[in-house]
């Protein structure tokens, strides 16, 4: 039974067919799919409080409303992932409201506070671009039908988020002076955090079950290159320095990767290269804003719980 | 606040229903499923669907309680 299921899954995957129901999965496919969905749901969900805490610094009511519209989109994106997880047998209530903050699986970058409008729009241009690359790949390649279809909405909206980020960055850069300096400073700490977002380089990551199961189509380094190839030329075009350059077809970083990051100071020490083990333990420990952000959506749930 | 504490929190429980959301962009299109919402009644389900699935200027949107959908067959199940 188990063996025939595995053979059937293999045939479907090889034919490029979509997987539509749990009965077509092997336990291992289900496990990898759930893991990929949790990372995606957690990333969308945490971007809401992260962006909210910065949107409060909006320079006008109009700008604030745009910020809130983006936050509403992100919550809908999270809902898509958690809802699929629920159909696959997980408890949405547990995943969102009952997990320990440290058990959330979103990129470390969100744990570093976004504290100004400038940092928020830079996040829209850099972080949402990363989301766009990652989810665009899943949207194109993913073998699980319900997720592939759910991502149509997500892609349309992420495109709006990053365009909004780019428009604002351009405006701030054109303003020059202190405003432009602040923008450059935001890029200085946020750019390398986004480069890290794509994970271990391919030469350290031997094998990816996500690729075997066609849950995604591109490797970490391919996704990182795709991000660099849009972000670096954009930053150049608005007169902001990006710490990377092009050599042939490849984008090359101008600093040792990985390097040491001081989250409280929001500063990279490029004279202090570190190992991936160091990075992984920084990620596991989570950053300054992890507990505060999770509390923002968990608190009211616990307040309004009936006591048994 | 006191009264609120007596309210059961029912986002995904017995007192709520799931609704499938269908929409189409142009007159030549047919309705297609664009997502789902979970709500305690039809009116809130309408509001959630409108607010959540706002990525396009749909010319039509319809919600259906999931339990009203009768499945005849589906991929991964035994052939009809
Ligand atoms: Fe999103
Ligand atoms: Fe976004």
């Amino acid at each position: 039974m188990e063996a025939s299921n595995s053979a059937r899954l293999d045939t479907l995957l090889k034919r490029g067919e979509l997987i539509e129901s749990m009965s077509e999965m092997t336990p291992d496919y289900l496990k990898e799919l759930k893991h990929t969905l949790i990372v995606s749901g957690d990333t969308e969900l945490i971007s809401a409080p992260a962006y909210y805490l910065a949107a409060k610094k909006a320079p006008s009511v109009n700008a604030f409303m745009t910020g809130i519209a983006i936050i509403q989109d992100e919550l809908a994106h999270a809902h898509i992932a958690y809802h699929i997880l629920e159909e696959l047998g997980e408890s949405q209530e547990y995943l969102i409201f009952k997990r320990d903050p440290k058990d959330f699986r979103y990129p470390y970058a969100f744990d570093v506070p976004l504290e100004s409008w400038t940092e928020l729009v830079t996040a829209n241009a850099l972080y949402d671009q990363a989301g766009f690359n990652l989810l665009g790949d899943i949207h194109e390649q993913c073998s699980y039908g319900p997720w592939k279809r759910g991502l149509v909405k997500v892609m349309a909206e992420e495109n709006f988020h990053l365009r909004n980020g780019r428009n604002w960055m351009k405006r701030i850069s054109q303003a020059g002076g202190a405003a432009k300096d602040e923008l450059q400073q935001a890029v200085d700490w946020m750019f390398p955090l986004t480069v890290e977002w794509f994970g271990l380089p391919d030469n350290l990551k031997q094998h990816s079950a996500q690729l075997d199961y066609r849950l995604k189509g591109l490797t970490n380094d391919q996704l990182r290159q795709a991000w660099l190839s849009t972000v670096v030329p954009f930053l150049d075009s608005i007169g902001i320095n990006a710490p990377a350059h092009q050599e042939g077809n490849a984008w090359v970083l101008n600093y040792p990767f990985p390097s040491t990051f001081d989250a409280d100071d929001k500063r990279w020490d490029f004279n202090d290269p570190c190992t991936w083990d160091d990075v992984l333990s920084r990620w596991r420990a989570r950053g300054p804003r992890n507990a505060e952000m999770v509390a923002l959506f968990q608190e009211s749930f616990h307040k309004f719980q009936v006591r048994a | 606040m006191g009264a609120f504490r007596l309210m059961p929190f029912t986002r995904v429980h017995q007192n709520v229903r799931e609704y499938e959301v269908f929409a189409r962009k142009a007159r030549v299109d047919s309705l297609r499923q664009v997502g789902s919402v979970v709500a305690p009644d039809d009116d809130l389900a309408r509001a959630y669907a409108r607010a959540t699935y706002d990525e396009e200027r749909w010319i039509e949107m319809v919600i259906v309680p999931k339990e009203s959908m009768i499945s005849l067959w589906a991929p991964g199940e035994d052939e009809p």
Side-chain angles (χ1 to χ4, degrees):
Chain A
M1 181 64 198
E2 196 62 354
S4 77
N5 214 10
S6 162
R8 188 163 62 138
L9 176 71
D10 254 20
T11 317
L12 285 170
L13 289 175
K14 284 213 185 77
R15 283 211 308 250
E17 297 262 17
L18 296 177
I19 308 304
E20 294 287 339
S21 105
M22 266 169 88
S23 69
E24 296 172 316
M25 301 174 189
T26 58
D28 197 50
Y29 178 95
L30 180 61
K31 192 187 103 203
E32 288 297 330
L33 172 62
K34 281 183 180 175
H35 173 75
T36 315
L37 279 161
I38 285 176
V39 173
S40 175
D42 287 358
T43 306
E44 302 282 11
L45 178 62
I46 211 68
S47 67
Y51 289 174
Y52 172 70
L53 290 166
K56 295 199 273 188
K57 306 281 172 61
S60 69
V61 172
N62 259 349
F64 179 71
M65 295 305 284
T66 310
I68 292 299
I70 291 175
I71 290 162
Q72 190 242 344
D73 290 346
E74 302 298 10
L75 290 172
H77 301 173
H79 170 258
I80 289 170
Y82 292 130
H83 182 72
I84 293 175
L85 280 159
E86 192 155 70
E87 308 239 287
L88 297 173
E90 296 296 314
S91 156
Q92 213 179 136
E93 186 174 302
Y94 168 76
L95 288 172
I96 301 173
F97 297 109
K98 296 189 173 162
R99 255 187 310 164
D100 187 89
K102 282 199 169 21
D103 292 338
F104 281 79
R105 292 282 170 261
Y106 57 84
Y108 176 86
F110 280 116
D111 275 344
V112 186
L114 300 169
E115 292 169 302
S116 64
W117 184 253
T118 300
E119 289 181 344
L120 175 59
V121 298
T122 306
N124 283 151
L126 304 190
Y127 298 177
D128 287 79
Q129 177 70 55
F132 190 82
N133 291 125
L134 285 155
L135 294 172
D137 177 46
I138 295 174
H139 174 55
E140 268 170 43
Q141 303 286 342
C142 187
S143 58
Y144 186 53
W147 198 13
K148 187 183 172 77
R149 290 187 289 274
L151 285 172
V152 174
K153 167 188 173 63
V154 178
M155 293 309 290
E157 289 170 342
E158 290 304 341
N159 189 34
F160 159 66
H161 301 173
L162 70 94
R163 275 205 338 258
N164 176 66
R166 286 180 172 211
N167 285 339
W168 270 99
M169 284 182 81
K170 193 170 168 189
R171 245 171 101 175
I172 294 170
S173 183
Q174 280 167 349
K180 187 176 177 182
D181 293 344
E182 193 190 320
L183 182 63
Q184 182 66 59
Q185 278 166 25
V187 170
D188 288 346
W189 70 265
M190 293 167 76
F191 185 101
L193 274 184
T194 329
V195 170
E196 233 182 46
W197 185 311
F198 298 96
L200 287 179
D202 294 351
N203 61 349
L204 294 180
K205 198 174 185 212
Q206 278 99 3
H207 166 250
S208 164
Q210 289 176 321
L211 285 174
D212 295 346
Y213 290 136
R214 228 173 0 93
L215 294 172
K216 60 177 205 167
L218 297 175
T219 68
N220 291 358
D221 282 344
Q222 287 170 333
L223 288 162
R224 196 171 359 247
Q225 284 291 319
W227 181 85
L228 288 165
S229 75
T230 62
V231 167
V232 179
F234 165 69
L235 293 173
D236 283 347
S237 77
I238 62 164
I240 292 292
N241 296 324
H245 64 279
Q246 198 171 14
E247 280 177 21
N249 286 328
W251 293 86
V252 182
L253 299 170
N254 301 343
Y255 58 89
F257 179 59
S259 283
T260 306
F261 180 63
D262 180 336
D264 295 320
D265 265 6
K266 296 181 174 174
R267 215 184 17 234
W268 291 89
D269 190 348
F270 294 141
N271 297 316
D272 185 17
C274 63
T275 66
W276 274 99
D277 279 340
D278 298 330
V279 177
L280 293 176
S281 51
R282 165 159 56 80
W283 288 356
R284 262 193 299 272
R286 302 262 41 146
R289 211 172 230 179
N290 166 246
E292 180 191 352
M293 289 188 299
V294 172
L296 267 179
F297 54 81
Q298 286 190 345
E299 221 167 49
S300 62
F301 175 82
H302 294 293
K303 256 186 214 149
F304 298 131
Q305 262 312 31
V306 241
R307 303 210 179 113
Chain B
M1 183 61 104
F4 273 128
R5 287 203 184 260
L6 301 174
M7 272 171 44
F9 185 93
T10 52
R11 208 179 68 83
V12 279
H13 283 242
Q14 313 85 293
N15 304 342
V16 294
R17 288 207 287 184
E18 187 176 350
Y19 297 76
E20 301 289 355
V21 182
F22 298 83
R24 60 187 179 127
K25 267 192 277 191
R27 285 168 187 249
V28 295
D29 295 340
S30 43
L31 276 175
R32 75 177 169 84
Q33 191 189 14
V34 295
S36 74
V37 292
V38 171
D41 59 51
D42 293 354
D43 280 343
L44 271 175
R46 272 186 242 264
Y48 292 168
R50 190 167 47 220
T52 304
Y53 297 98
D54 60 349
E55 67 269 28
E56 300 284 355
R57 286 175 195 229
W58 308 113
I59 61 154
E60 183 173 358
M61 181 174 276
V62 174
I63 60 173
V64 181
K66 191 172 182 177
E67 73 244 23
S68 300
M69 296 179 64
I70 301 167
S71 176
L72 278 70
W73 58 82
E77 290 167 13
D78 289 333
E79 297 297 310

